[in-house]
């Protein structure tokens, strides 16, 4: 039977959108399947006030009745809770004593790009070759020079606000004009650089500051996680997916819970996928010459594990292993800058960005820690706000609230080491509402991560003191639960050796040449930078390779 499509892409988020765009614009017929429903501008609520909602955005307990895990996500609220999966219908399990919070499981076209934090950073050569630097783990089978032109391509299309800093630990990119820093952030940046030599820069965020491809620049309304009617932040639903649809060669299949890759028994190649229609509960099949899984690392791995005993494309035995997530807000510090106090505003512009302190530990030029490997960066920001926690009541309280508070807070995001024992597998006793076996997640942070968390608090205080802050308050969360970073990667790692990896450097499975996994599954190490920009760059690079191999008849 002839396949219906040239390419089948599962997932319409950061990487799936790019794959659909690149391949359809090259003339290929693409089926784009996603578990979510179509996204539309009418769903966006970034300009609605809480008093316009039924529960005034105060009914967290009500939302937790159906979304007890998703509500832990900063972006899940009364405004958009129906964008997220129902945790009761689509559960997962965890190993005893190893909690994991699998958040951000959206069920909308565009996936997590509907609600992501938009921080967009390149990995450095040191990040890609960590083993060569400190001896731990494995090096990626790619160099920074392999990814650089694809970072360029993605950044120019997506639109990233940022400032070039010429710091090798965080390579510069193609930036749109910077959104700018507050007075407190500028003071913090200057003094930290002068006294410590560390670089605090504007967060590199996927928010436009100039018109791009028909999208308007950001108008500083603030809550990007509730959508954007001007399409000013990058969401694949109204960028890459929309481009693919405009070619007339992309067929979008929403509400498709893909659960298996189908094989041709004669050739051993992938011939398509089987999915459950979320609306009708009917099982359907779609066929294609090539299958690309872009469903998000854990979801793509779940599909592979459900596709064959022991997992499809798993001759190496490492499928599902080496799960990583960032140490999210593990430690840091805050401080006040009363000399910069200005009048606070209720309705002033709300910049959807902050500051980023570039990694300074365990670098070729910097100090080496005796307590931990790899490193961390800080995200944060500084602003003037009302004194809502002021003491008293009545007229005195009202007056005290208006007393402005200017402060800066920085929170650490650290690299989690890749360890074989951090893994996912199918739970033999639990299925979701569609009858699909669910994942059992077994992950915990180790001594290296805990040592890094302690150091985050220490260096956070150093920066605040260097900046001249008052009332410096350090914090650390030594028992941080994995998953809160919402940056799960690594469970179908890439490598040159088929005995120790699932994918090659082009995200093609070693075992099945027409099956690719183009999402964060491929990561060999995670770095301390947010992964989405790298996921997109890798996907575009892999699509170039795929098109070349198709022309040669090798796939």
């Amino acid at each position: 039977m002839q396949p219906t499509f040239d390419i089948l892409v599962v997932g319409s988020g950061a990487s799936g959108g790019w794959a659909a765009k690149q391949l359809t614009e090259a003339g290929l017929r693409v089926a784009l399947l996603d578990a979510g429903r179509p996204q539309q501008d009418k769903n966006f609520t970034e300009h609605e006030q809480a008093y316009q909602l039924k529960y005034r955005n105060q009914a967290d307990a009500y939302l937790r009745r159906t979304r007890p895990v998703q509500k832990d996500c900063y972006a899940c609220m009364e405004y958009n809770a129906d964008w997220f999966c129902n945790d009761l219908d689509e559960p997962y399990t965890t190993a005893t004593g190893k909690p994991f919070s699998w958040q951000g499981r959206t069920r909308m076209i565009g996936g997590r790009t509907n609600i992501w934090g938009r921080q967009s950073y390149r990995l450095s050569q040191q990040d890609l070759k960590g083993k060569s630097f400190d001896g731990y783990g494995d090096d990626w089978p790619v160099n920074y020079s392999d990814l650089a032109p694809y970072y360029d391509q993605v950044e120019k299309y997506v639109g990233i606000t940022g400032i070039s800093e010429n710091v090798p630990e965080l390579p510069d990119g193609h930036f749109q004009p910077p959104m700018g820093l507050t007075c407190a952030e500028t003071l913090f940046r200057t003094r930290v650089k002068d006294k410590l030599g560390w670089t605090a820069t504007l967060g590199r965020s996927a928010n436009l500051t100039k018109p791009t491809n028909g999208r308007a620049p950001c108008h500083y309304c603030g809550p990007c996680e509730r959508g954007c009617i001007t399409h000013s932040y990058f969401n694949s639903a109204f960028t890459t997916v929309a481009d693919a649809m405009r070619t007339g060669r992309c067929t979008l299949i929403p509400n498709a819970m893909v659960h298996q890759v189908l094989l041709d028994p004669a050739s051993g190649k992938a011939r398509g996928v089987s999915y459950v229609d979320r609306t009708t509960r009917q099982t359907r099949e779609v066929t294609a010459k090539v299958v690309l899984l872009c469903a998000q690392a854990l979801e793509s791995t779940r599909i592979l594990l459900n596709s064959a005993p022991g997992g499809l494309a798993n001759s190496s035995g490492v499928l599902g292993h080496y799960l990583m997530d960032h140490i999210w807000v593990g430690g840091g510090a805050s401080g006040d800058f009363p000399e910069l106090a200005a009048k606070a505003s209720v309705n002033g512009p709300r910049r959807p960005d902050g500051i980023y302190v570039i990694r300074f530990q365990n670098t070729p030029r910097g100090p080496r820690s005796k307590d931990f490997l790899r490193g961390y960066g800080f995200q944060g920001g500084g602003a003037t706000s009302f004194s809502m926690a002021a003491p008293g009541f009545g007229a005195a309280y009202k007056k005290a609230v208006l007393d402005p508070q200017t402060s800066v807070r920085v929170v650490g995001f650290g690299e989690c080491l890749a360890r074989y024992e951090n893994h996912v597998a199918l739970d033999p006793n639990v299925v979701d509402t569609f009858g699909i076996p669910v994942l059992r997640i077994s992950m915990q942070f180790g001594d290296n991560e805990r040592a890094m968390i302690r150091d985050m608090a220490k260096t956070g205080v150093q920066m605040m003191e260097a900046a001249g802050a008052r009332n410096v308050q350090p914090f650390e969360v030594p028992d941080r639960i994995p998953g809160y970073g919402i940056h799960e990667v690594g469970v179908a790692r890439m490598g040159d050796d088929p005995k120790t990896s699932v994918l090659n450097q082009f995200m093609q499975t070693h075992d099945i040449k027409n099956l690719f996994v183009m999402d964060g599954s491929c990561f060999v190490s995670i770095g301390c930078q947010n992964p989405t920009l790298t996921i997109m760059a890798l996907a575009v690079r892999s699509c170039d390779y795929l098109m070349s191999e198709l022309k040669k008849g090798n796939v």
Side-chain angles (χ1 to χ4, degrees):
M1 186 172 94
Q2 288 296 315
T4 309
F5 298 94
D6 297 314
I7 311 290
L8 193 158
V9 179
V10 179
S12 65
S15 60
W18 268 105
K21 169 182 167 65
Q22 295 298 101
L23 297 169
T24 54
E25 290 180 347
L28 296 168
R29 296 171 299 122
V30 172
L32 179 59
L33 286 74
D34 194 279
R37 66 183 191 275
Q39 183 62 286
Q40 303 175 61
D41 286 3
K42 68 179 184 180
N43 297 327
F44 299 154
T45 58
E46 74 273 28
H47 297 149
E48 291 186 18
Q49 300 301 315
Y51 65 77
Q52 296 175 265
L53 302 178
K54 181 177 181 179
Y55 299 112
R56 308 298 193 266
N57 201 34
Q58 297 295 314
D60 288 359
Y62 175 76
L63 297 182
R64 287 187 184 276
R65 292 181 184 179
T66 55
R67 292 169 175 83
V69 178
Q70 301 314 304
K71 189 63 194 74
D72 286 339
C73 176
Y74 71 96
C76 183
M77 57 192 74
E78 186 180 350
Y79 288 98
N80 62 4
D82 64 345
W83 293 6
F84 294 76
C85 80
N86 181 318
D87 289 314
L88 307 185
D89 289 342
E90 300 183 49
Y92 65 96
T93 62
T94 58
T96 302
K98 297 180 180 181
F100 185 95
S101 185
W102 189 6
Q103 306 172 21
R105 299 176 68 192
T106 56
R107 294 297 178 256
M108 301 294 291
I109 299 301
R112 283 180 174 172
T113 64
N114 282 286
I115 52 131
W116 67 312
R118 305 166 308 286
Q119 294 296 292
S120 303
Y121 303 103
R122 298 186 177 200
L123 293 181
S124 68
Q125 179 70 0
Q126 182 184 349
D127 293 318
L128 298 169
K129 303 296 180 181
K131 180 181 180 181
S132 296
F133 181 78
D134 59 29
Y136 182 87
D138 294 287
D139 288 336
W140 289 55
V142 295
N143 290 293
Y144 177 73
S145 58
D146 298 319
L147 298 185
Y150 296 98
Y151 278 134
D152 293 347
Q153 181 178 346
V154 170
E155 288 167 341
K156 290 175 183 177
Y157 177 88
V158 167
I160 310 293
T161 181
I163 300 172
S164 294
E165 299 288 0
N166 194 31
V167 177
E169 286 71 41
L170 190 72
D172 294 325
H174 288 268
F175 301 131
Q176 294 201 348
M179 285 188 157
L181 301 172
T182 67
C183 292
E185 291 166 349
T186 300
L187 183 148
F188 179 85
R189 165 184 165 89
T190 301
R191 291 180 175 174
V192 167
K193 188 70 170 181
D194 289 346
K195 296 185 179 182
L196 299 175
W198 304 343
T199 302
T201 188
L202 176 70
R204 296 172 179 178
S205 185
N207 291 85
L208 299 183
T209 55
K210 65 179 183 180
T212 303
N213 299 326
R215 299 161 54 209
C218 176
H219 52 278
Y220 291 72
C221 71
C224 302
E225 66 277 2
R226 285 152 48 187
C228 183
I229 60 171
T230 56
H231 299 177
S232 302
Y233 77 85
F234 177 79
N235 180 333
S236 64
F238 47 67
T239 53
T240 50
V241 173
D243 284 354
M245 296 300 293
R246 276 191 287 269
T247 68
R249 290 182 287 272
C250 182
T251 299
L252 179 62
I253 304 176
N255 296 307
M257 283 291 296
V258 174
H259 66 97
Q260 276 188 331
V261 174
L262 303 173
L263 293 185
D264 181 337
S267 66
K269 288 187 174 182
R271 66 174 183 86
V273 300
S274 175
Y275 71 92
V276 178
D277 187 303
R278 293 173 62 90
T279 304
T280 66
R281 301 298 178 103
Q282 292 181 320
T283 300
R284 304 178 186 275
E285 294 184 1
V286 182
T287 58
K289 297 176 183 176
V290 181
V291 174
L292 277 55
L293 299 182
C294 307
Q296 182 266 333
L298 295 181
E299 297 284 11
S300 290
T301 299
R302 180 188 178 195
I303 292 169
L304 292 174
L305 291 171
N306 272 305
S307 297
L312 189 63
N314 192 27
S315 63
S316 64
V318 301
L319 178 66
H321 292 272
Y322 299 102
L323 173 61
M324 294 170 281
D325 180 41
H326 280 127
I327 305 168
W328 174 82
V329 193
S334 63
D336 296 334
F337 295 84
E339 71 273 24
L340 298 177
K343 185 177 180 180
S345 171
V346 174
N347 295 314
R350 290 184 285 176
R351 181 195 59 186
D353 197 7
I355 59 173
Y356 187 81
V357 181
I358 301 173
R359 170 184 173 178
F360 48 82
Q361 294 272 45
N362 295 329
T363 68
R365 302 176 304 164
R368 295 285 191 100
S369 173
K370 297 179 181 179
D371 300 322
F372 61 88
L373 300 173
R374 308 296 162 92
Y376 56 87
F378 285 99
Q379 298 183 30
T384 299
S385 60
F386 294 102
S387 301
M388 301 305 293
F393 56 91
Y397 172 73
K398 291 178 181 179
K399 182 179 179 180
V401 164
L402 297 177
D403 185 25
Q405 286 188 324
T406 299
S407 61
V408 173
R409 184 172 188 254
V410 291
V411 298
F413 281 68
E415 176 167 354
C416 161
L417 297 181
R419 291 192 289 272
Y420 181 86
E421 60 269 24
N422 285 336
H423 72 282
V424 300
L426 295 181
D427 190 312
N429 302 313
V430 182
V431 298
D432 65 16
T433 189
F434 307 104
I436 305 170
V438 307
L439 286 183
R440 182 175 186 268
I441 303 174
S442 178
M443 180 181 177
Q444 60 183 359
F445 291 136
D447 292 341
N448 198 75
E449 288 79 24
R450 285 186 284 272
M452 195 179 290
I453 287 171
R454 291 191 294 270
D455 203 66
M456 290 173 180
K458 176 183 175 182
T459 57
V461 169
Q462 283 183 262
M463 288 188 288
M464 291 299 161
E465 292 178 343
R470 302 181 190 177
N471 189 30
V472 175
Q473 300 289 331
F475 79 92
E476 58 182 81
V477 188
D479 56 350
R480 175 62 73 199
I481 295 173
Y484 275 82
I486 323 181
H487 295 159
E488 314 93 344
V489 296
V491 278
R493 56 176 17 205
M494 63 165 65
D496 291 326
D497 187 353
K499 295 180 180 179
T500 58
S501 58
V502 178
L503 310 173
N504 66 16
Q505 63 170 298
F506 298 106
M507 307 163 95
Q508 179 184 35
T509 62
H510 290 300
D511 297 353
I512 303 170
K513 297 305 179 185
N514 69 334
L515 175 61
F516 291 71
V517 186
M518 292 188 185
D519 54 28
S521 305
C522 74
F523 278 43
V524 179
S525 56
I526 194 173
C528 63
Q529 302 93 311
N530 301 49
T532 305
L533 182 67
T534 298
I535 290 171
M536 291 192 284
L538 286 166
V540 176
R541 179 175 184 263
S542 296
C543 284
D544 278 358
Y545 168 80
L546 170 57
M547 289 185 284
S548 174
E549 291 296 285
L550 284 170
K551 290 178 181 178
K552 297 174 184 176
N554 292 338
V555 177

